[in-house]
Amino acid sequence: MRSLFHGRTLEQSFSISTALLVLVLIGTTMVIVEKRVESNMRHGLEDRGTAIAESIAAVSTPSLLAYNYAALQLAAEGAAGNQGVVYVTIRDKEGALAGVAGRTSSDLKAQDADVSAASATRDVEVARAKGHPEQVVEVSVPVHVEGVDVAWGRVSVGLSYDIVATELRRLGIQLFLLGALLAIVAVLCVRWLARRITAPLRNLVAGTEALSAGELQHRIPVSGTKELVELARAFNTMSDRLEGKAEESATLQTALEALNATLEHQVIERTRLLEESTAQYKSLVESSPDSILIVQDGRVRFVNRSFADTFGVPETEAMRPDFQLSRLFDPSSAALAGGRIAAWERGEAPAPAEVLAQDAQGRTRHLELRGSRIEYQGRPAAECLLVDMTEAKRLRERLSETEKLRALGELASGVAHDFNNLLGAILGRAQLLRRSGEVKAADHDLAVIEKAAQDGRETVRRIQEFSRTRRDKKFEPVDVAEILKDCLEITKTRWSDDALRRKVNIKPSLDALTVPPILGNASELREVFTNLILNAVDAMPQGGRLELSCAAAGDRVVARVTDTGVGMTENIRQHLFDPFFTTKGTRGMGLGMSVVYGIVTRHEGKIDVATALGKGTTFTLEFPVSHERPIHVAGGDGASLPQLIRPGKILVVDDEPEVAAVVRDVLESAGHAVDTAISGVDALQMLDVSPYDLVFTDLGMPDMSGWEVAEKINEVKPGTPVALVTGWGTALDEGDARKKGVTAVVHKPFEIDELLRIAHSLLAQRLAVPNSN
């Protein structure tokens, strides 16, 4: 670099150095711009891949849960049609490939992946039809199911990098041309400026050379612009002083320059540190999602932006002398919050406290109040942090409610199973005795027993609905808006006639938009909304407004039931869905809201409640929009019994001898030959000895379940129909049942007619097949 300027004039050196500096700055700027654009385009490509992968994961979650590979393949092929998408792969929980579309390598298709890994991005190469391999950015995300920690699958999306590369090449050419043009203009400007500046300085250079040679009497002419005139005069003045005090001036000048350089460096460094510290503190405080405030002498001195947004109090209002901080907190928490803040201001260190406050929308927020003592403007103060714990507390409560309901559901399911076995024997025997006509004198008593058993069956059904184990009703497309209209009409006597008798006015309103259908049971959903409407009416003893609404929100249908009644306390809200919890005293059983919760959960929905004392209550229900086909189980439809070419030979398997005897007697009363077995092992041994036209098997047996019995029969005696008899009320998938060899399902306690219809239907199909025995 030194040789570059060696032997050149000041004008040339100035021109060359300035031009080089400009060229370096232009080149550096172009490189930085190109790199920044490349980084942004790469991040944009990765963000697009992540969005596509998460969208596919959200759509594919039900199919992954059901191992529906056909639907997963369709989802992959649908996403692969997007612009720039090279391939899409979907893997199930075990890492096996469940769906693939687009151009991808064979080793990627065969390879199992770890679906539990976190989201990842990598570069891969995919072969083209012709030419060099194509660079692809692969984005992979795990598929999680709510409430399950383990990933249920993994979606990978490969996006072509060609678009980014093409844009970068075009940008590089444009930047090069722009840089060249700027460089030419800069060099011309520098050349002109150098000539303009250096021309008047030649005299100064000559004078300086004279002074350096010891010619202290040398003076330069005073002419030119004002700056040059002042410079010439200063130079001459300096020469005058140097002439008398050359040695003293040189010594003092050296010391002064060293001192100035040191002081200037210290001032610049401290100023820089102070500015950085101030900027970092301001950025941290203003961007914090939690509310931060400084209290001094009981008065608010500072609040951040989050405080103003959360509580709806502008900074100017919060810092007024008459502003009372206690008005933000719930009366039950105001004293606690004030005491904590005062203690921190005194320098004490009390533990954080949980407090209640009202936000800008009037909603109750659960906050954790933390703080410490600081120095603010030279005096002690308390710096306070309000951390919003509302959502976390709500999630913990929901998890606790779910766990309690699950435990109670398991208990109720077991009790229901035992009752179904007992009721099956009672109901079957009573109906057999009434049909035989042998005890006509006791027919009335048998009718009472039969009715009691049937009532008991309905009670067990409610227990099973509470435990969310039943789904033997057919689910079909249902219009939630129509359900709301029906429920409002059904409850009209309560919110209209009964209210008028009580001399109160309840004003109902329905805002039901056109929404897509959901998959569900209309009668169960009517029970849900009817229960909520009646509770809302009970909550408005002085009258008020009853508002019902329904709207679509993405892939969900959201329904709301709002009243302006007395509201609920936080304790009541927490126990609202607990079984047997009621606020109606002897007028309520406490099962209504728990049944509502069970029905909504069985429909794969969510229910949430927002309430405040004196302000009313809003129930928000969300249901997924679904186009799945309904699931049902085999059973009678009320048709007459089909004609058989001969009676059937039937095997009944049940570890409860009384239940097996009832089934045997019912079938024998219809002319069939029936054998019984008390275990699955005995049943298989009997099948080896003698063929049977039909097998009825209990689901829950100690040695071998009904599923295992059906699978074994399907292996050793293929084609033999198997009817599963269960008292659990478990949700059964028709497709899975048929894969395991189950042809029909009978729920305990059963009606004699239902049992005979199923038996005759299966025998008619079996006996119609040539050489079936």
PDB file of all heavy atoms in Angstrom, residues 534-536 538-539 566-593 613 617 619:
ATOM      1  N   LEU A 534     -81.303 -23.876  30.173  1.00  0.00           N
ATOM      2  CA  LEU A 534     -82.052 -23.930  31.431  1.00  0.00           C
ATOM      3  C   LEU A 534     -81.220 -23.401  32.594  1.00  0.00           C
ATOM      4  O   LEU A 534     -81.735 -22.705  33.476  1.00  0.00           O
ATOM      5  CB  LEU A 534     -82.501 -25.370  31.699  1.00  0.00           C
ATOM      6  CG  LEU A 534     -83.518 -25.947  30.697  1.00  0.00           C
ATOM      7  CD1 LEU A 534     -83.857 -27.382  31.064  1.00  0.00           C
ATOM      8  CD2 LEU A 534     -84.774 -25.093  30.639  1.00  0.00           C
ATOM      9  N   ASN A 535     -79.938 -23.730  32.627  1.00  0.00           N
ATOM     10  CA  ASN A 535     -79.067 -23.182  33.678  1.00  0.00           C
ATOM     11  C   ASN A 535     -78.974 -21.664  33.572  1.00  0.00           C
ATOM     12  O   ASN A 535     -78.932 -20.953  34.580  1.00  0.00           O
ATOM     13  CB  ASN A 535     -77.675 -23.797  33.581  1.00  0.00           C
ATOM     14  CG  ASN A 535     -77.637 -25.207  34.127  1.00  0.00           C
ATOM     15  OD1 ASN A 535     -78.591 -25.664  34.754  1.00  0.00           O
ATOM     16  ND2 ASN A 535     -76.549 -25.921  33.886  1.00  0.00           N
ATOM     17  N   ALA A 536     -78.918 -21.144  32.326  1.00  0.00           N
ATOM     18  CA  ALA A 536     -78.856 -19.691  32.141  1.00  0.00           C
ATOM     19  C   ALA A 536     -80.136 -19.027  32.653  1.00  0.00           C
ATOM     20  O   ALA A 536     -80.093 -17.966  33.284  1.00  0.00           O
ATOM     21  CB  ALA A 536     -78.626 -19.367  30.666  1.00  0.00           C
ATOM     22  N   ASP A 538     -82.110 -20.187  35.007  1.00  0.00           N
ATOM     23  CA  ASP A 538     -82.071 -20.254  36.472  1.00  0.00           C
ATOM     24  C   ASP A 538     -81.132 -19.204  37.056  1.00  0.00           C
ATOM     25  O   ASP A 538     -81.324 -18.762  38.194  1.00  0.00           O
ATOM     26  CB  ASP A 538     -81.625 -21.648  36.913  1.00  0.00           C
ATOM     27  CG  ASP A 538     -82.681 -22.705  36.606  1.00  0.00           C
ATOM     28  OD1 ASP A 538     -83.856 -22.332  36.420  1.00  0.00           O
ATOM     29  OD2 ASP A 538     -82.310 -23.901  36.545  1.00  0.00           O
ATOM     30  N   ALA A 539     -80.122 -18.810  36.286  1.00  0.00           N
ATOM     31  CA  ALA A 539     -79.147 -17.833  36.786  1.00  0.00           C
ATOM     32  C   ALA A 539     -79.648 -16.401  36.656  1.00  0.00           C
ATOM     33  O   ALA A 539     -78.925 -15.472  37.033  1.00  0.00           O
ATOM     34  CB  ALA A 539     -77.826 -17.992  36.036  1.00  0.00           C
ATOM     35  N   VAL A 566     -76.486 -13.831  37.564  1.00  0.00           N
ATOM     36  CA  VAL A 566     -75.725 -13.559  38.784  1.00  0.00           C
ATOM     37  C   VAL A 566     -74.264 -13.970  38.664  1.00  0.00           C
ATOM     38  O   VAL A 566     -73.433 -13.563  39.466  1.00  0.00           O
ATOM     39  CB  VAL A 566     -76.372 -14.293  39.978  1.00  0.00           C
ATOM     40  CG1 VAL A 566     -77.773 -13.765  40.221  1.00  0.00           C
ATOM     41  CG2 VAL A 566     -76.421 -15.810  39.724  1.00  0.00           C
ATOM     42  N   GLY A 567     -73.901 -14.782  37.681  1.00  0.00           N
ATOM     43  CA  GLY A 567     -72.525 -15.212  37.536  1.00  0.00           C
ATOM     44  C   GLY A 567     -72.133 -16.253  38.569  1.00  0.00           C
ATOM     45  O   GLY A 567     -72.957 -16.758  39.350  1.00  0.00           O
ATOM     46  N   MET A 568     -70.844 -16.601  38.590  1.00  0.00           N
ATOM     47  CA  MET A 568     -70.329 -17.620  39.504  1.00  0.00           C
ATOM     48  C   MET A 568     -69.051 -17.122  40.165  1.00  0.00           C
ATOM     49  O   MET A 568     -68.296 -16.331  39.591  1.00  0.00           O
ATOM     50  CB  MET A 568     -70.025 -18.917  38.742  1.00  0.00           C
ATOM     51  CG  MET A 568     -71.235 -19.652  38.218  1.00  0.00           C
ATOM     52  SD  MET A 568     -70.768 -21.165  37.329  1.00  0.00           S
ATOM     53  CE  MET A 568     -70.305 -20.471  35.748  1.00  0.00           C
ATOM     54  N   THR A 569     -68.809 -17.646  41.365  1.00  0.00           N
ATOM     55  CA  THR A 569     -67.527 -17.392  42.011  1.00  0.00           C
ATOM     56  C   THR A 569     -66.454 -18.277  41.375  1.00  0.00           C
ATOM     57  O   THR A 569     -66.749 -19.228  40.654  1.00  0.00           O
ATOM     58  CB  THR A 569     -67.607 -17.690  43.516  1.00  0.00           C
ATOM     59  OG1 THR A 569     -67.861 -19.104  43.693  1.00  0.00           O
ATOM     60  CG2 THR A 569     -68.709 -16.888  44.177  1.00  0.00           C
ATOM     61  N   GLU A 570     -65.205 -17.952  41.661  1.00  0.00           N
ATOM     62  CA  GLU A 570     -64.103 -18.736  41.094  1.00  0.00           C
ATOM     63  C   GLU A 570     -64.139 -20.173  41.600  1.00  0.00           C
ATOM     64  O   GLU A 570     -63.846 -21.109  40.861  1.00  0.00           O
ATOM     65  CB  GLU A 570     -62.761 -18.086  41.459  1.00  0.00           C
ATOM     66  CG  GLU A 570     -61.534 -18.771  40.883  1.00  0.00           C
ATOM     67  CD  GLU A 570     -61.507 -18.745  39.368  1.00  0.00           C
ATOM     68  OE1 GLU A 570     -62.220 -17.917  38.773  1.00  0.00           O
ATOM     69  OE2 GLU A 570     -60.792 -19.575  38.785  1.00  0.00           O
ATOM     70  N   ASN A 571     -64.544 -20.384  42.861  1.00  0.00           N
ATOM     71  CA  ASN A 571     -64.608 -21.734  43.407  1.00  0.00           C
ATOM     72  C   ASN A 571     -65.672 -22.566  42.694  1.00  0.00           C
ATOM     73  O   ASN A 571     -65.446 -23.738  42.367  1.00  0.00           O
ATOM     74  CB  ASN A 571     -64.901 -21.667  44.911  1.00  0.00           C
ATOM     75  CG  ASN A 571     -64.962 -23.039  45.539  1.00  0.00           C
ATOM     76  OD1 ASN A 571     -63.990 -23.780  45.554  1.00  0.00           O
ATOM     77  ND2 ASN A 571     -66.136 -23.386  46.073  1.00  0.00           N
ATOM     78  N   ILE A 572     -66.834 -21.958  42.443  1.00  0.00           N
ATOM     79  CA  ILE A 572     -67.889 -22.690  41.732  1.00  0.00           C
ATOM     80  C   ILE A 572     -67.448 -22.998  40.305  1.00  0.00           C
ATOM     81  O   ILE A 572     -67.693 -24.090  39.790  1.00  0.00           O
ATOM     82  CB  ILE A 572     -69.197 -21.871  41.739  1.00  0.00           C
ATOM     83  CG1 ILE A 572     -69.743 -21.760  43.173  1.00  0.00           C
ATOM     84  CG2 ILE A 572     -70.234 -22.492  40.825  1.00  0.00           C
ATOM     85  CD1 ILE A 572     -70.985 -20.916  43.285  1.00  0.00           C
ATOM     86  N   ARG A 573     -66.802 -22.051  39.648  1.00  0.00           N
ATOM     87  CA  ARG A 573     -66.354 -22.284  38.274  1.00  0.00           C
ATOM     88  C   ARG A 573     -65.373 -23.453  38.202  1.00  0.00           C
ATOM     89  O   ARG A 573     -65.412 -24.267  37.276  1.00  0.00           O
ATOM     90  CB  ARG A 573     -65.687 -21.032  37.716  1.00  0.00           C
ATOM     91  CG  ARG A 573     -65.374 -21.123  36.222  1.00  0.00           C
ATOM     92  CD  ARG A 573     -64.440 -20.010  35.787  1.00  0.00           C
ATOM     93  NE  ARG A 573     -63.110 -20.206  36.346  1.00  0.00           N
ATOM     94  CZ  ARG A 573     -62.212 -21.047  35.834  1.00  0.00           C
ATOM     95  NH1 ARG A 573     -62.499 -21.778  34.782  1.00  0.00           N
ATOM     96  NH2 ARG A 573     -61.024 -21.165  36.396  1.00  0.00           N
ATOM     97  N   GLN A 574     -64.485 -23.569  39.203  1.00  0.00           N
ATOM     98  CA  GLN A 574     -63.493 -24.643  39.192  1.00  0.00           C
ATOM     99  C   GLN A 574     -64.147 -26.018  39.342  1.00  0.00           C
ATOM    100  O   GLN A 574     -63.632 -27.007  38.828  1.00  0.00           O
ATOM    101  CB  GLN A 574     -62.479 -24.418  40.308  1.00  0.00           C
ATOM    102  CG  GLN A 574     -61.583 -23.204  40.076  1.00  0.00           C
ATOM    103  CD  GLN A 574     -60.606 -23.001  41.220  1.00  0.00           C
ATOM    104  OE1 GLN A 574     -60.579 -23.759  42.179  1.00  0.00           O
ATOM    105  NE2 GLN A 574     -59.816 -21.949  41.136  1.00  0.00           N
ATOM    106  N   HIS A 575     -65.270 -26.095  40.078  1.00  0.00           N
ATOM    107  CA  HIS A 575     -65.921 -27.389  40.331  1.00  0.00           C
ATOM    108  C   HIS A 575     -67.170 -27.583  39.466  1.00  0.00           C
ATOM    109  O   HIS A 575     -67.950 -28.499  39.733  1.00  0.00           O
ATOM    110  CB  HIS A 575     -66.301 -27.498  41.810  1.00  0.00           C
ATOM    111  CG  HIS A 575     -65.117 -27.458  42.731  1.00  0.00           C
ATOM    112  ND1 HIS A 575     -64.294 -28.544  42.938  1.00  0.00           N
ATOM    113  CD2 HIS A 575     -64.608 -26.447  43.482  1.00  0.00           C
ATOM    114  CE1 HIS A 575     -63.335 -28.210  43.789  1.00  0.00           C
ATOM    115  NE2 HIS A 575     -63.500 -26.942  44.132  1.00  0.00           N
ATOM    116  N   LEU A 576     -67.360 -26.748  38.456  1.00  0.00           N
ATOM    117  CA  LEU A 576     -68.601 -26.750  37.688  1.00  0.00           C
ATOM    118  C   LEU A 576     -68.873 -28.103  37.040  1.00  0.00           C
ATOM    119  O   LEU A 576     -70.009 -28.573  37.020  1.00  0.00           O
ATOM    120  CB  LEU A 576     -68.542 -25.652  36.618  1.00  0.00           C
ATOM    121  CG  LEU A 576     -69.787 -25.495  35.747  1.00  0.00           C
ATOM    122  CD1 LEU A 576     -70.978 -25.107  36.605  1.00  0.00           C
ATOM    123  CD2 LEU A 576     -69.540 -24.431  34.669  1.00  0.00           C
ATOM    124  N   PHE A 577     -67.834 -28.752  36.483  1.00  0.00           N
ATOM    125  CA  PHE A 577     -68.020 -29.999  35.745  1.00  0.00           C
ATOM    126  C   PHE A 577     -67.787 -31.234  36.620  1.00  0.00           C
ATOM    127  O   PHE A 577     -67.765 -32.346  36.095  1.00  0.00           O
ATOM    128  CB  PHE A 577     -67.081 -30.044  34.534  1.00  0.00           C
ATOM    129  CG  PHE A 577     -67.335 -28.933  33.551  1.00  0.00           C
ATOM    130  CD1 PHE A 577     -66.427 -27.912  33.382  1.00  0.00           C
ATOM    131  CD2 PHE A 577     -68.506 -28.911  32.815  1.00  0.00           C
ATOM    132  CE1 PHE A 577     -66.658 -26.892  32.484  1.00  0.00           C
ATOM    133  CE2 PHE A 577     -68.752 -27.895  31.907  1.00  0.00           C
ATOM    134  CZ  PHE A 577     -67.825 -26.876  31.741  1.00  0.00           C
ATOM    135  N   ASP A 578     -67.599 -31.050  37.931  1.00  0.00           N
ATOM    136  CA  ASP A 578     -67.425 -32.201  38.814  1.00  0.00           C
ATOM    137  C   ASP A 578     -68.753 -32.946  38.959  1.00  0.00           C
ATOM    138  O   ASP A 578     -69.815 -32.323  39.140  1.00  0.00           O
ATOM    139  CB  ASP A 578     -66.946 -31.759  40.201  1.00  0.00           C
ATOM    140  CG  ASP A 578     -65.519 -31.254  40.161  1.00  0.00           C
ATOM    141  OD1 ASP A 578     -64.890 -31.359  39.083  1.00  0.00           O
ATOM    142  OD2 ASP A 578     -65.034 -30.756  41.185  1.00  0.00           O
ATOM    143  N   PRO A 579     -68.739 -34.264  38.901  1.00  0.00           N
ATOM    144  CA  PRO A 579     -69.972 -35.036  39.108  1.00  0.00           C
ATOM    145  C   PRO A 579     -70.539 -34.812  40.514  1.00  0.00           C
ATOM    146  O   PRO A 579     -69.782 -34.700  41.484  1.00  0.00           O
ATOM    147  CB  PRO A 579     -69.523 -36.494  38.913  1.00  0.00           C
ATOM    148  CG  PRO A 579     -68.248 -36.397  38.131  1.00  0.00           C
ATOM    149  CD  PRO A 579     -67.596 -35.120  38.556  1.00  0.00           C
ATOM    150  N   PHE A 580     -71.855 -34.716  40.611  1.00  0.00           N
ATOM    151  CA  PHE A 580     -72.595 -34.572  41.869  1.00  0.00           C
ATOM    152  C   PHE A 580     -72.352 -33.227  42.534  1.00  0.00           C
ATOM    153  O   PHE A 580     -72.710 -33.039  43.690  1.00  0.00           O
ATOM    154  CB  PHE A 580     -72.253 -35.714  42.841  1.00  0.00           C
ATOM    155  CG  PHE A 580     -72.350 -37.079  42.220  1.00  0.00           C
ATOM    156  CD1 PHE A 580     -71.205 -37.835  42.006  1.00  0.00           C
ATOM    157  CD2 PHE A 580     -73.573 -37.582  41.808  1.00  0.00           C
ATOM    158  CE1 PHE A 580     -71.280 -39.088  41.419  1.00  0.00           C
ATOM    159  CE2 PHE A 580     -73.659 -38.827  41.220  1.00  0.00           C
ATOM    160  CZ  PHE A 580     -72.517 -39.588  41.021  1.00  0.00           C
ATOM    161  N   PHE A 581     -71.729 -32.261  41.833  1.00  0.00           N
ATOM    162  CA  PHE A 581     -71.583 -30.908  42.379  1.00  0.00           C
ATOM    163  C   PHE A 581     -72.747 -30.059  41.887  1.00  0.00           C
ATOM    164  O   PHE A 581     -73.016 -29.971  40.692  1.00  0.00           O
ATOM    165  CB  PHE A 581     -70.259 -30.293  41.916  1.00  0.00           C
ATOM    166  CG  PHE A 581     -70.094 -28.863  42.354  1.00  0.00           C
ATOM    167  CD1 PHE A 581     -69.679 -28.565  43.643  1.00  0.00           C
ATOM    168  CD2 PHE A 581     -70.361 -27.815  41.483  1.00  0.00           C
ATOM    169  CE1 PHE A 581     -69.534 -27.247  44.045  1.00  0.00           C
ATOM    170  CE2 PHE A 581     -70.226 -26.505  41.877  1.00  0.00           C
ATOM    171  CZ  PHE A 581     -69.806 -26.219  43.167  1.00  0.00           C
ATOM    172  N   THR A 582     -73.491 -29.444  42.828  1.00  0.00           N
ATOM    173  CA  THR A 582     -74.644 -28.640  42.450  1.00  0.00           C
ATOM    174  C   THR A 582     -74.759 -27.457  43.391  1.00  0.00           C
ATOM    175  O   THR A 582     -74.340 -27.518  44.554  1.00  0.00           O
ATOM    176  CB  THR A 582     -75.944 -29.470  42.500  1.00  0.00           C
ATOM    177  OG1 THR A 582     -77.040 -28.621  42.159  1.00  0.00           O
ATOM    178  CG2 THR A 582     -76.175 -30.074  43.880  1.00  0.00           C
ATOM    179  N   THR A 583     -75.323 -26.361  42.872  1.00  0.00           N
ATOM    180  CA  THR A 583     -75.621 -25.180  43.680  1.00  0.00           C
ATOM    181  C   THR A 583     -77.124 -25.023  43.891  1.00  0.00           C
ATOM    182  O   THR A 583     -77.564 -24.002  44.414  1.00  0.00           O
ATOM    183  CB  THR A 583     -75.074 -23.916  42.988  1.00  0.00           C
ATOM    184  OG1 THR A 583     -75.683 -23.799  41.693  1.00  0.00           O
ATOM    185  CG2 THR A 583     -73.563 -23.993  42.834  1.00  0.00           C
ATOM    186  N   LYS A 584     -77.903 -26.048  43.468  1.00  0.00           N
ATOM    187  CA  LYS A 584     -79.365 -25.961  43.555  1.00  0.00           C
ATOM    188  C   LYS A 584     -79.929 -26.706  44.758  1.00  0.00           C
ATOM    189  O   LYS A 584     -81.143 -26.853  44.872  1.00  0.00           O
ATOM    190  CB  LYS A 584     -79.993 -26.517  42.276  1.00  0.00           C
ATOM    191  CG  LYS A 584     -79.557 -25.770  41.027  1.00  0.00           C
ATOM    192  CD  LYS A 584     -80.171 -26.378  39.773  1.00  0.00           C
ATOM    193  CE  LYS A 584     -79.701 -25.649  38.508  1.00  0.00           C
ATOM    194  NZ  LYS A 584     -80.306 -26.237  37.287  1.00  0.00           N
ATOM    195  N   GLY A 585     -79.063 -27.183  45.636  1.00  0.00           N
ATOM    196  CA  GLY A 585     -79.549 -27.900  46.808  1.00  0.00           C
ATOM    197  C   GLY A 585     -80.242 -29.188  46.438  1.00  0.00           C
ATOM    198  O   GLY A 585     -79.780 -29.949  45.587  1.00  0.00           O
ATOM    199  N   THR A 586     -81.387 -29.439  47.066  1.00  0.00           N
ATOM    200  CA  THR A 586     -82.116 -30.687  46.809  1.00  0.00           C
ATOM    201  C   THR A 586     -82.793 -30.701  45.444  1.00  0.00           C
ATOM    202  O   THR A 586     -83.276 -31.735  44.992  1.00  0.00           O
ATOM    203  CB  THR A 586     -83.184 -30.895  47.902  1.00  0.00           C
ATOM    204  OG1 THR A 586     -84.061 -29.760  47.919  1.00  0.00           O
ATOM    205  CG2 THR A 586     -82.518 -31.049  49.264  1.00  0.00           C
ATOM    206  N   ARG A 587     -82.836 -29.536  44.745  1.00  0.00           N
ATOM    207  CA  ARG A 587     -83.476 -29.486  43.439  1.00  0.00           C
ATOM    208  C   ARG A 587     -82.573 -30.020  42.333  1.00  0.00           C
ATOM    209  O   ARG A 587     -83.012 -30.207  41.203  1.00  0.00           O
ATOM    210  CB  ARG A 587     -83.874 -28.047  43.107  1.00  0.00           C
ATOM    211  CG  ARG A 587     -84.925 -27.474  44.023  1.00  0.00           C
ATOM    212  CD  ARG A 587     -85.366 -26.084  43.566  1.00  0.00           C
ATOM    213  NE  ARG A 587     -84.278 -25.130  43.600  1.00  0.00           N
ATOM    214  CZ  ARG A 587     -83.712 -24.627  42.516  1.00  0.00           C
ATOM    215  NH1 ARG A 587     -84.119 -24.995  41.310  1.00  0.00           N
ATOM    216  NH2 ARG A 587     -82.729 -23.751  42.617  1.00  0.00           N
ATOM    217  N   GLY A 588     -81.292 -30.255  42.602  1.00  0.00           N
ATOM    218  CA  GLY A 588     -80.373 -30.724  41.566  1.00  0.00           C
ATOM    219  C   GLY A 588     -79.609 -31.944  42.011  1.00  0.00           C
ATOM    220  O   GLY A 588     -79.387 -32.170  43.204  1.00  0.00           O
ATOM    221  N   MET A 589     -79.230 -32.776  41.022  1.00  0.00           N
ATOM    222  CA  MET A 589     -78.457 -33.988  41.306  1.00  0.00           C
ATOM    223  C   MET A 589     -76.967 -33.792  41.077  1.00  0.00           C
ATOM    224  O   MET A 589     -76.160 -34.619  41.473  1.00  0.00           O
ATOM    225  CB  MET A 589     -78.956 -35.145  40.430  1.00  0.00           C
ATOM    226  CG  MET A 589     -80.398 -35.550  40.695  1.00  0.00           C
ATOM    227  SD  MET A 589     -80.908 -36.882  39.594  1.00  0.00           S
ATOM    228  CE  MET A 589     -79.707 -38.144  40.039  1.00  0.00           C
ATOM    229  N   GLY A 590     -76.587 -32.734  40.347  1.00  0.00           N
ATOM    230  CA  GLY A 590     -75.174 -32.484  40.117  1.00  0.00           C
ATOM    231  C   GLY A 590     -74.571 -33.292  38.987  1.00  0.00           C
ATOM    232  O   GLY A 590     -73.349 -33.415  38.906  1.00  0.00           O
ATOM    233  N   LEU A 591     -75.398 -33.864  38.115  1.00  0.00           N
ATOM    234  CA  LEU A 591     -74.878 -34.649  36.990  1.00  0.00           C
ATOM    235  C   LEU A 591     -75.037 -33.929  35.648  1.00  0.00           C
ATOM    236  O   LEU A 591     -74.479 -34.366  34.647  1.00  0.00           O
ATOM    237  CB  LEU A 591     -75.581 -36.006  36.915  1.00  0.00           C
ATOM    238  CG  LEU A 591     -75.173 -37.045  37.968  1.00  0.00           C
ATOM    239  CD1 LEU A 591     -76.022 -38.288  37.813  1.00  0.00           C
ATOM    240  CD2 LEU A 591     -73.693 -37.379  37.852  1.00  0.00           C
ATOM    241  N   GLY A 592     -75.821 -32.850  35.614  1.00  0.00           N
ATOM    242  CA  GLY A 592     -76.104 -32.190  34.347  1.00  0.00           C
ATOM    243  C   GLY A 592     -74.866 -31.699  33.630  1.00  0.00           C
ATOM    244  O   GLY A 592     -74.628 -32.030  32.463  1.00  0.00           O
ATOM    245  N   MET A 593     -74.021 -30.925  34.316  1.00  0.00           N
ATOM    246  CA  MET A 593     -72.851 -30.351  33.654  1.00  0.00           C
ATOM    247  C   MET A 593     -71.781 -31.403  33.395  1.00  0.00           C
ATOM    248  O   MET A 593     -71.024 -31.293  32.429  1.00  0.00           O
ATOM    249  CB  MET A 593     -72.272 -29.208  34.496  1.00  0.00           C
ATOM    250  CG  MET A 593     -73.193 -28.013  34.618  1.00  0.00           C
ATOM    251  SD  MET A 593     -73.779 -27.409  33.013  1.00  0.00           S
ATOM    252  CE  MET A 593     -72.242 -26.912  32.271  1.00  0.00           C
ATOM    253  N   LEU A 613     -69.008 -12.529  39.056  1.00  0.00           N
ATOM    254  CA  LEU A 613     -70.168 -12.264  39.902  1.00  0.00           C
ATOM    255  C   LEU A 613     -70.848 -10.968  39.473  1.00  0.00           C
ATOM    256  O   LEU A 613     -70.200  -9.931  39.321  1.00  0.00           O
ATOM    257  CB  LEU A 613     -69.745 -12.170  41.368  1.00  0.00           C
ATOM    258  CG  LEU A 613     -69.563 -13.500  42.108  1.00  0.00           C
ATOM    259  CD1 LEU A 613     -69.076 -13.254  43.521  1.00  0.00           C
ATOM    260  CD2 LEU A 613     -70.872 -14.288  42.123  1.00  0.00           C
ATOM    261  N   THR A 617     -72.535 -15.046  32.662  1.00  0.00           N
ATOM    262  CA  THR A 617     -71.704 -16.205  32.318  1.00  0.00           C
ATOM    263  C   THR A 617     -71.804 -16.460  30.816  1.00  0.00           C
ATOM    264  O   THR A 617     -72.869 -16.292  30.220  1.00  0.00           O
ATOM    265  CB  THR A 617     -72.163 -17.455  33.087  1.00  0.00           C
ATOM    266  OG1 THR A 617     -72.108 -17.180  34.488  1.00  0.00           O
ATOM    267  CG2 THR A 617     -71.273 -18.653  32.766  1.00  0.00           C
ATOM    268  N   PHE A 619     -70.758 -19.588  28.085  1.00  0.00           N
ATOM    269  CA  PHE A 619     -70.220 -20.905  27.757  1.00  0.00           C
ATOM    270  C   PHE A 619     -69.839 -20.904  26.269  1.00  0.00           C
ATOM    271  O   PHE A 619     -70.657 -20.552  25.413  1.00  0.00           O
ATOM    272  CB  PHE A 619     -71.251 -22.004  28.023  1.00  0.00           C
ATOM    273  CG  PHE A 619     -71.448 -22.311  29.479  1.00  0.00           C
ATOM    274  CD1 PHE A 619     -72.397 -21.652  30.224  1.00  0.00           C
ATOM    275  CD2 PHE A 619     -70.643 -23.261  30.105  1.00  0.00           C
ATOM    276  CE1 PHE A 619     -72.573 -21.922  31.561  1.00  0.00           C
ATOM    277  CE2 PHE A 619     -70.817 -23.553  31.446  1.00  0.00           C
ATOM    278  CZ  PHE A 619     -71.777 -22.881  32.184  1.00  0.00           C
TER     279      PHE A 619
END
